[in-house]
Amino acid sequence: MNITESRVEPVRLTQYARGGGCACKIPPGELEEVVAGLTGTPLPGAPELLVGLDSGDDAAVVRLPGAGPGAVGAVVATADFFTPVVDDPYDWGRIAAANALSDVYAMGGQPVVAVNLLAWPRDVLPFDLAREVLRGGLDIASQAGCHVAGGHSVDDAEPKYGMAVTGIADPDRLLRNDRGRPGMPLSLTKPLGVGVLNNRHKATGEVFEHAVAAMTQLNRDAAAAALRAGAVCATDVTGFGLLGHLYKLARASGVTAVIDAAAVPYLAGAREAARGGYVSGGTHRNIAWVAPYTDFGTADVETRLLLADAQTSGGLLVAGEVPGAPIIGELVPAQEHTLVVR
């Protein structure tokens, strides 16, 4: 009897979600309306809240009581999770973990412990895939020197994964998005374009290993280099795109940010993907949000889309010079527009 070997096609995780990665974020304008007025008031007897909702920074920071000058005297707390951005479950886990850890690095902190956040359609997708996702997250956290201690899971129609991360920082050496001043250069530590490449991956199944490599690269070394260079102002570039996150930084700092479009680095194939129409709804929402506050100059449509491309686990945007990172613009005194593209 002839036995024909059957082939099992790999599961394409990106087909089980409406969006993917940080492009799934609630639009920034809508989100700001939701959280408006929810900053709360100082709690009597509670540790001092150094960074909260006021400036829309990357993570919350609380000063520990009794910490002396120069001590590791602050706790950094954040959470981040999203639907599959790539089909490979292990890579998705690695990307989601690197993205969650990034918020701690963006504040100038060091991640210490994380807990998993997992939503899984248990009647649709096998748990073997979920195990690979968790393994990817564990491997990245281990690379960062961050413990993973349990977490929380729910049965959900769409797969989602991420982490809640707690870190530590020196409260006198934080990287904040409201500390930008005129004359500071702007450095970007990773190229843009993972959004359009991920969208192309979801549509065609093409795998872009260089995009995966960028998304799984920790922002640890970039944050350390920024602190050594004396930087006090930074953010990371994720779902709101370079323009969205830079707008938040410039607005919080009371300055105008000027971008040299020709100096911004892009991943290979990003411009072609944008030209091919592989642009997420999140990117279009980013442009709509910043357009009233932006002078785009002569920038063409593709450049505008890439500058607003919804990134997942993007690099750090630092107000200051970071060795090895390109300078893509500068902060200047406040002008008519908060963002200017040249």
Side-chain angles (χ1 to χ4, degrees), residues 2 36 42 60 74 77 176 225 253 306 342:
N2 293 327
R176 301 178 51 147
S253 298
L306 289 171
R342 291 178 178 165

Side-chain angles (χ1 to χ4, degrees), residues 100-225:
L101 294 167
S102 178
D103 282 341
V104 175
Y105 294 131
M107 301 302 301
Q110 304 170 30
V112 174
V113 63
V115 291
N116 289 310
L117 303 173
L118 178 70
W120 202 255
R122 50 184 293 275
D123 294 328
V124 178
L125 292 174
F127 275 116
D128 285 349
L129 296 179
R131 180 180 176 82
E132 283 298 289
V133 175
L134 295 172
R135 186 170 71 89
L138 178 61
D139 282 357
I140 285 293
S142 297
Q143 182 182 332
C146 177
H147 296 288
V148 178
H152 185 67
S153 62
V154 295
D155 186 356
D156 194 5
E158 287 187 323
K160 302 177 183 73
Y161 174 65
M163 289 178 164
V165 186
T166 301
I168 55 176
D170 181 345
D172 298 319
R173 298 187 67 215
L174 294 175
L175 298 173
R176 301 178 51 147
N177 71 354
D178 61 354
R179 294 296 189 263
R181 298 294 180 263
M184 290 181 172
L186 293 169
S187 300
L188 182 64
T189 66
K190 287 187 187 180
L192 303 180
V194 295
V196 289
L197 291 177
N198 287 340
N199 242 34
R200 183 166 179 169
H201 168 67
K202 180 176 182 178
T204 68
E206 298 172 83
V207 177
F208 300 98
E209 293 292 352
H210 62 304
V212 173
M215 290 184 286
T216 54
Q217 178 185 346
L218 292 173
N219 281 328
R220 174 185 55 195
D221 294 346

Side-chain angles (χ1 to χ4, degrees), residues 286-327:
N286 290 341
I287 287 187
W289 183 49
V290 301
Y293 317 103
T294 305
D295 175 3
F296 282 103
T298 60
D300 59 29
V301 173
E302 288 169 11
T303 298
R304 298 183 189 197
L305 288 171
L306 289 171
L307 292 176
D309 189 37
Q311 303 297 281
T312 297
S313 191
L316 296 186
L317 176 64
V318 181
E321 292 192 40
V322 178
I327 293 175

Side-chain angles (χ1 to χ4, degrees), residues 24-52:
C24 291
K25 281 188 174 183
I26 293 174
E30 296 178 20
L31 184 60
E32 289 188 345
E33 292 180 6
V34 171
V35 301
L38 298 180
T39 54
T41 56
L43 301 176
E48 180 187 3
L49 180 65
L50 299 179
V51 182

Side-chain angles (χ1 to χ4, degrees), residues 225-250:
L227 288 172
R228 285 195 301 270
V232 295
C233 178
T235 185
D236 63 351
V237 180
T238 55
F240 300 153
L242 173 66
L243 291 180
H245 289 284
L246 182 54
Y247 169 66
K248 291 177 66 176
L249 184 153

